[in-house]
Every structure is written in C-alpha cells, then in structure tokens.
Amino acid sequence: MLQTYLNEHKERFLNELFDLLRIPSVSADSKFKDDTRRTAGFVREKLTAAGLDNAELHETEGHPVVYAEKIVDESLPTVLVYGHYDVQPADPYELWISPPFEPTIRNERIYARGACDDKGQFYMHVKALEAMLATDGLPCNVKVMIEGEEEIGSEHLGKFVAENREKLKADVILISDTSIIANDVPSIESGLRGLSYVEVEVTGPNRDLHSGVYGGAVHNPVNVLCRMIASLIDEKGHITIPGFYDRVVELTAEERAELAKAPFDEEEYQRDLNLKAVFGEEGYSTPERASIRPTLDVNGIWGGYTGEGAKTVLPGKAHAKISMRLVPDQHPDDITELFSKHFQAIAPPTVTVKVTPHHGGEPYVTPTDSVEFEAARRAFREAWGKEPVPTRGGGSIPIVALFERELGIKSILMGFGLDIDALHSPNESYGLFNFYKGIETIPYFYKHYAELKKAPVEA
Ligand code: BES
Ligand code: MN
Ligand code: MN
C-alpha cells in the first residue's frame, strides 16, 4: 500500500533530499557551474532509481535540463511535472545560522538553500512517483522536466521547449514551486505575476571627483539617480511611468470579494516582518497589493564609496537594479520599453542614462473551474481533510506562460511552501510536515485527475 511504503521509506527520502541540498547548484554564479551540472546528474540518477524511463540530460547553452518519463498506456492522460534544481545565491553567508549547503533540522524544519525553492518541492514528486510505481502503479503517463535556470529567468528553456514539442506533449503541467496560506489553511495559487527586470546606469563626470573641490558645481549622479527613482512611485503608491497601467486587467468586485475570503492577519504580517506599518497602492488590501497589482522595486543600488570609514568623493557613476512585477495583460517587453523611454525622459541634461534589460516573464492566470484545478482541489481535500482556498500568487515562474503559449498546456501550481520559508533569504527552510504532506498529496492528484478525465463530472 502506498501509505505504508511512504512511512517505511520516510527516512531515506529525507537523507536523499539532504544529499541533493548539499550540492550548491547556484545557477547565477559561474563558480558553481560544475556543481550545478553535478546536481542535474544526481536528479537524473534519482529519476531512474524511482522507476522512470529514458532519464537523460539535455544540453542547452546554459545549464542542462533533466528529463524522464513513464508511459504506462498511450490512451491515458499525461502529466508533465516541472521543477527547478537550481537555487539562488546564498549570500550573505554570515547571516546563516547553519551553513546554506549543510542541511540541518531545527524545530521540525529543514534549513538549507533550496530547501523549499525548489529542491525540497520537486523532490516530493520524485518520491511520490517512486512510491506510486512501487505500489499501485501510475493512473496516468508522466513526464518529468527539471531545469537548472529558473532562478536566472529560464533563458534557454524557451528554445528547449520549442525544439521538443513532441517529447513534452502532455495534458497538464504540475508544479510545486509556490506556497500555501498556512499548514491549517491549504490553498492553490491560480496565478503568478510576470516580471520585467532592468539595470540602470547614470553617468556624470568622467571620473570620481573630490567632493570638496567639485561638490556643488557638478551634478552628483547618485543624487540624480535617487531623485529619478523616487519619482517613479507617488505618495499614493502609484507607479508614474506613462502607460504602465494601460493593459492591467482590473478584477471585478466579485473576484476581489472571492479572494478576500482567504484568511489574512495584517498584524501578524507586520509582526513577522518587524514592520511599523505596511505601505502600498491606495485602494488595495495588502494581499491584493502583493498579488493582483503590479509593482516597481529597487533590488539594489550602488555607486561611490561604500567601504569602511568616510571617503569624500563625488562619484562618476550610479547604478541600480529595478524589478517590476506584472499582472495580466501587461507584457514584459512593453513594460521594459515604457520604463526605458520614461527613465531617459526624466533624466536631467547633466547626466547620461543607460538602461539594460535583464530577463523577464509573462504573468499567468489559470481558470479555477477546470478539470485539472478540480483534481488539485480534491487531492488537497483528501490528504489535508480541508477545502483548499484559491489564491493569486505574487511570485513569478516565467516558464508557465511559455508552456501555455508554446504547448497550449495549462499549469497547476500545487505548491506546499509557507511565507516563513524565507525563499531567497538567509536561513531558507522547509517544514518536514510540508515535505511529507506534499509527497502524500501528489498521488491523490494523479488519482483524481485520471478519474476526472475518464468521466468528467461537474466540479
Ligand atoms: N518559486 C519561486 C516563485 C514563487 C515563490 C512563486 C513563491 C510563488 C510563491 C521562483 O523560484 C522564483 O523565485 N522566481 C523568480 C523569477 C525570476 C528569477 C525570473 C522570482 O519570482 O523572483
Ligand atoms: Mn522556485
Ligand atoms: Mn526562486
């Protein structure tokens, strides 16, 4: 029986995840290139060991894609599982209580970079598939695709998907790379935000200057950049770039009321972040601001002297990295273009401005009345004994919109993380409860999906 199998192999599942977490697969940093490839090899091996066929590494111009499949019967529906084995850089290392690539358990949680995002989450699928194959078998065909460049924008995945349409043909994409509201409030995200990411450079004088000799007579690029950035958001939390909201789809009052049913405690939110007050776009609640509304945030800003002590300098250049989260129907290329034009337009004549686009991604929303969403709903109901709440997520998984466009397949975001998991932050963690509960929930998805596809009943 499946449940018995899961119980009997619990410890090994965790040990294997620990081995996976020990390999520093930081896709952004070329220092970890070999480790990243080693991680792909590890994943391929585990897919084979789980009983999948044709496990292979597909080379791309970047990090390889791992693919494996189990075709049990051509006439059955096919589930394509997507995940990513790469992780965000672990910096700053000194803020980690235990080292990022030495997984450690504290308070029933696994601490390591990638514990939740996404190693801990995609590995639940590998183990759920192993357990299904070792016991009752699979009620659907399955294809598994685990990539190594999600955290750097899945740059080479578009080409891979376009070149492997036949191989990737499936009826639904299943992804565990998002969060639930709380362990006693399971939820399913029905949308993701898109992303436009730019780097800006403001140049003033041809070199750093003595701030006493030149200060007051030469426009300081760091001062200029701060003023320009500050002007991008007004006091009502609105983004001031002309045309920025033109394609934003406003939700209806009913849709907003539906989303507002999800429990949210603003005081606890503030306490968790040690915030004196929240801030955001006027007219929207905190959960709305962080999911159905677009944003603009400076991710990093630098220039001049930032070392120890004081150096009197008027910098020659100033830089910033800026991300904009997008909602339907905004398009990352259009938004990047609008940003560039506006940023050039607001620059004073004393400086030159350069805008360099980085990766982006389109927003995504999936209907909640589909057979696949219903299958996820039933899986949660059965494994958690609770009705999952539909929510809209604030993060981005660029490949999801691309899957829909290239392959015409919808994605189900069946993630099991929590806000406290500290994704991308020091001391990232993942609850043991979530890891094991996820492994238990996934087989129910297959069961219900296969049943619903056989005889679609009313949701
Ligand atoms: N798993 C996250 C996205 C996420 C997290 C969605 C939590 C919903 C809830 C993913 O790995 C991620 O971090 N994506 C990046 C995208 C980027 C690097 C192109 C993001 O959202 O910043
Ligand atoms: Mn992720
Ligand atoms: Mn991430």
Side-chain angles (χ1 to χ4, degrees):
M1 213 205 117
L2 190 88
Q3 199 56 50
T4 319
Y5 187 91
L6 294 180
N7 280 330
E8 276 170 4
H9 298 272
K10 251 181 127 161
E11 217 146 296
R12 175 172 56 81
F13 290 178
L14 190 62
N15 289 333
E16 289 174 10
L17 174 61
F18 271 37
D19 288 340
L20 175 61
L21 291 169
R22 282 191 190 100
I23 323 179
S25 48
V26 180
S27 51
D29 190 341
S30 57
K31 193 164 78 226
F32 297 106
K33 189 160 182 264
D34 292 346
D35 290 310
T36 306
R37 165 171 288 277
R38 200 149 56 81
T39 311
F42 179 96
V43 176
R44 174 183 49 187
E45 243 173 67
K46 293 300 179 198
L47 285 166
T48 302
L52 282 95
D53 300 325
N54 307 323
E56 50 198 6
L57 293 199
H58 281 264
E59 297 306 327
T60 69
E61 277 165 52
H63 303 297
V65 176
V66 189
Y67 175 86
E69 62 188 16
K70 189 79 191 180
I71 309 299
V72 287
D73 180 345
E74 293 285 356
S75 68
L76 289 174
T78 301
V79 177
L80 173 62
V81 175
Y82 164 86
H84 62 94
Y85 66 81
D86 66 320
V87 298
Q88 287 273 329
D91 313 73
Y93 280 67
E94 66 275 15
L95 295 184
W96 285 77
I97 293 166
S98 51
F101 299 107
E102 292 172 28
T104 309
I105 305 237
R106 288 192 300 278
N107 319 318
E108 303 287 299
R109 310 186 62 76
I110 309 157
Y111 285 85
R113 170 57 85 230
C116 173
D117 186 11
D118 180 39
K119 287 173 170 173
Q121 293 220 58
F122 87 71
Y123 207 65
M124 298 180 312
H125 286 268
V126 182
K127 295 298 99 177
L129 290 169
E130 172 194 316
M132 284 189 277
L133 285 164
T135 55
D136 312 335
L138 285 174
C140 302
N141 299 311
V142 62
K143 298 179 173 180
V144 179
M145 174 185 160
I146 311 293
E147 70 146 321
E149 299 195 309
E150 196 275 343
E151 299 291 10
I152 49 173
S154 301
E155 200 193 328
H156 302 103
L157 204 61
K159 188 160 169 252
F160 175 80
V161 170
E163 285 172 357
N164 292 279
R165 277 168 204 275
E166 218 21 66
K167 184 194 273 293
L168 300 173
K169 226 172 135 201
D171 298 282
V172 63
I173 294 163
L174 184 59
I175 305 176
S176 294
D177 194 23
T178 52
S179 307
I180 53 171
I181 295 174
N183 281 349
D184 56 356
V185 191
S187 56
I188 310 172
E189 290 189 7
S190 65
L192 293 163
R193 287 196 282 194
L195 182 69
S196 161
Y197 200 111
V198 295
E199 186 162 336
V200 298
E201 182 189 77
V202 174
T203 305
N206 61 3
R207 57 196 151 92
D208 288 1
L209 305 172
H210 190 294
S211 66
V213 178
Y214 291 96
V218 174
H219 216 169
N220 180 323
V222 178
N223 293 16
V224 170
L225 177 61
C226 289
R227 188 185 273 272
M228 288 169 73
I229 287 173
S231 78
L232 295 176
I233 298 182
D234 69 17
E235 61 289 345
K236 290 184 171 167
H238 277 102
I239 294 154
T240 59
I241 299 167
F244 186 84
Y245 292 97
D246 283 2
R247 297 192 58 183
V248 171
V249 177
E250 297 282 343
L251 271 67
T252 62
E254 293 80 58
E255 286 171 317
R256 288 179 69 182
E258 196 53 41
L259 288 174
K261 284 186 191 159
F264 175 74
D265 183 339
E266 190 134 300
E267 271 174 31
E268 191 185 311
Y269 184 84
Q270 289 185 199
R271 210 174 319 118
D272 175 48
L273 299 174
N274 219 341
L275 284 180
K276 287 198 281 185
V278 294
F279 174 79
E281 192 181 356
E282 203 173 88
Y284 294 92
S285 68
T286 296
E288 285 177 333
R289 289 167 177 171
S291 63
I292 59 164
R293 297 301 294 168
T295 65
L296 184 149
D297 279 291
V298 177
N299 294 247
I301 182 163
W302 69 102
Y305 183 70
T306 56
E308 198 182 327
K311 176 188 177 191
T312 48
V313 63
L314 192 164
K317 280 184 192 296
H319 309 256
K321 292 184 195 278
I322 298 172
S323 69
M324 288 161 278
R325 295 283 167 172
L326 313 178
V327 300
D329 288 325
Q330 289 177 301
H331 193 283
D333 295 343
D334 298 342
I335 294 296
T336 300
E337 173 81 19
L338 288 177
F339 176 93
S340 300
K341 276 211 185 108
H342 179 65
F343 214 64
Q344 295 286 356
I346 60 172
T350 47
V351 296
T352 53
V353 167
K354 198 167 96 190
V355 179
T356 312
H358 283 286
H359 52 66
E362 290 170 54
Y364 180 78
V365 194
T366 191
T368 53
D369 57 2
S370 66
V371 159
E372 34 279 332
F373 202 87
E374 180 59 19
R377 213 182 251 135
R378 290 183 184 188
F380 269 103
R381 223 181 266 155
E382 195 158 354
W384 298 60
K386 286 213 164 118
E387 189 63 27
V389 183
T391 59
R392 288 269 298 265
S396 311
I397 306 175
I399 192 64
V400 172
L402 202 138
F403 275 141
E404 167 127 45
R405 188 154 32 79
E406 283 286 334
L407 306 172
I409 316 175
K410 301 231 175 304
S411 293
I412 292 298
L413 303 162
M414 208 167 74
F416 300 95
L418 293 175
D419 281 352
I420 56 162
D421 293 345
L423 314 186
H424 298 197
S425 303
N427 305 305
E428 176 179 350
S429 67
Y430 192 40
L432 285 171
F433 170 83
N434 302 71
F435 179 62
Y436 288 124
K437 201 70 178 168
I439 300 176
E440 191 188 320
T441 311
I442 291 163
Y444 288 125
F445 175 84
Y446 285 83
K447 180 183 109 178
H448 290 297
Y449 185 60
E451 275 172 20
L452 285 165
K453 287 292 266 192
K454 228 181 285 163
V457 291
E458 266 170 62

